[in-house]
Amino acid sequence: MTAKGFSALPLHERIRQDIETRIISGTLRPGDRIPSELELMARYGCARMTVNKALSALATRGLLERRKRAGTFVARPRTVAMVLDVPDLGSAVTARGQVYAFRLLDRQISDTARDRQAAADLGDVGRVMRLTGLHLADGVAFALEERLINLALVPAIEPVDFSTEPPGTWLLRHIPWTEAENRIGALAASRAQAKVLGISPGDACLAIERRTWRGADSVTVVRQTFVAGSHELVARFGPAGGSPARISAAAAAMTSAIGTSSA
Amino acid sequence: MTAKGFSALPLHERIRQDIETRIISGTLRPGDRIPSELELMARYGCARMTVNKALSALATRGLLERRKRAGTFVARPRTVAMVLDVPDLGSAVTARGQVYAFRLLDRQISDTARDRQAAADLGDVGRVMRLTGLHLADGVAFALEERLINLALVPAIEPVDFSTEPPGTWLLRHIPWTEAENRIGALAASRAQAKVLGISPGDACLAIERRTWRGADSVTVVRQTFVAGSHELVARFGPAGGSPARISAAAAAMTSAIGTSSA
DNA sequence: GCTGTGATTATGTCTATACATATTCACCCG
DNA sequence: CGGGTGAATATGTATAGACATAATCACAGC
């Protein structure tokens, strides 16, 4: 693009966009070799470090592949790693203009020596806290949360009252973690789940299981069950700097060609 | 000085990891100001450009915020960004030791001038191809795929026979894209969806809608509907360089404390 | 013909320097 | 006392050169 007539952009950025444009437009095809840094440095009339900065950025983004001695090549797209935004539930609800609340349903202190399930989830860590609660938007339950917390690692949470702040937010603000894993799937609501969520048994739900570690120790394991349609996860891959405006314009749901979902 | 310790990683990478570790572990908290490039350059005993490379990388990743004259600050996290692996379905099935196959159910050529739904999904792009097909593992259907393809951008796909390669894989191998977005949710199977997937209407399904762009143009929009339990997405945040071995050991499912799901 | 080895080459990293740019801070003037 | 102005400061960009590293290519020797 570079709609700016002046050289508003730094040089390495213009070089990057120039090459990126050639890849996107198909002038450069996957597997093609692009000129060496020395050649590009002559072509753009700049130092090699400047060319290097542009090419390195494109390589980091996966558009180029660089091999020593061989040269720089347009990458062949393979499996893709996208960035998944995992928002705080309270913030997400508030951002939609609704009132968020968390209601604690149950709270128990257990021990991995007696509680085999907790031991399977957190490892043999000793005392654990088991929480069950509901996430509400405008007073309506949309997600059920079941959580295990390693009390040896987070003793300060034992006396906390979660009426003002849900446990996830409390942990996020108080306990740093070094690793986390989300598993995302779908399930049919059990009878008990359906009852507290106000839906029917067997109804579709989105299930997210999140585990966090601090170094080698498990901090918490949480399973959140969302009523279908109440929550959506968005993962992106694209130019640095966030989502283009186009995406929101194209957000109309794709209606099923098979199921003319009449309801 | 520049004591070349025999570390495998380059210096700017070690500096980056050092600072990143302090942020993630909480030693550096959101809003904290970190030392200036001049101070860090003295502390690490290197040139400013080396420190700059490390800090710029962290700023690009959103972990730091840099303001001229003011300094460099730990960014306040809005959402937690995790890395979501989006594997090729065929590879994923094969990796589990099953036989993968794709069966094309329907194929139509349409036009956004007449097909308002296609126009809503891809924009006013002219001719489009609409595909419907099934993904099979060991001969059993586990996912339904409904796809729209912008033929103006991908004319070469029009004569392709998808008996050997599903359309997603074909596109991945032939068409580079610059942006992609996944939306992940749950839904109840419609009557028609249930029929082709061999499940009952209303059964829980995991729904993934993926859009890809090349520059400003839509390439394809695809909606995949997975039978609940047949497919799981995994997103991670952790030390750079892949998944720790521990995760596979901790993969035991967390049984619901509420719903003693007897089936 | 095959293999190993060394020269060649392109990228990777790092340094030292210079100037540009944006903000903040302190000071001076009205 | 308030506001404008210039100096100080931290980052942003760019350069030129140096050495490191890895992969390839060509050639010599078996």
Side-chain angles (χ1 to χ4, degrees), chain A residues 36-37 78 89 156 180 217 219 232 251:
Chain A
S36 74
E37 293 188 350
R78 289 174 298 158
L89 282 183
D217 305 309
V219 176
E232 209 175 33

Side-chain angles (χ1 to χ4, degrees), chain A residues 102-113:
Chain A
F102 177 79
R103 188 194 303 158
L104 189 64
L105 296 182
D106 188 50
R107 167 200 212 115
Q108 294 173 24
I109 304 292
S110 173
D111 194 291
T112 53

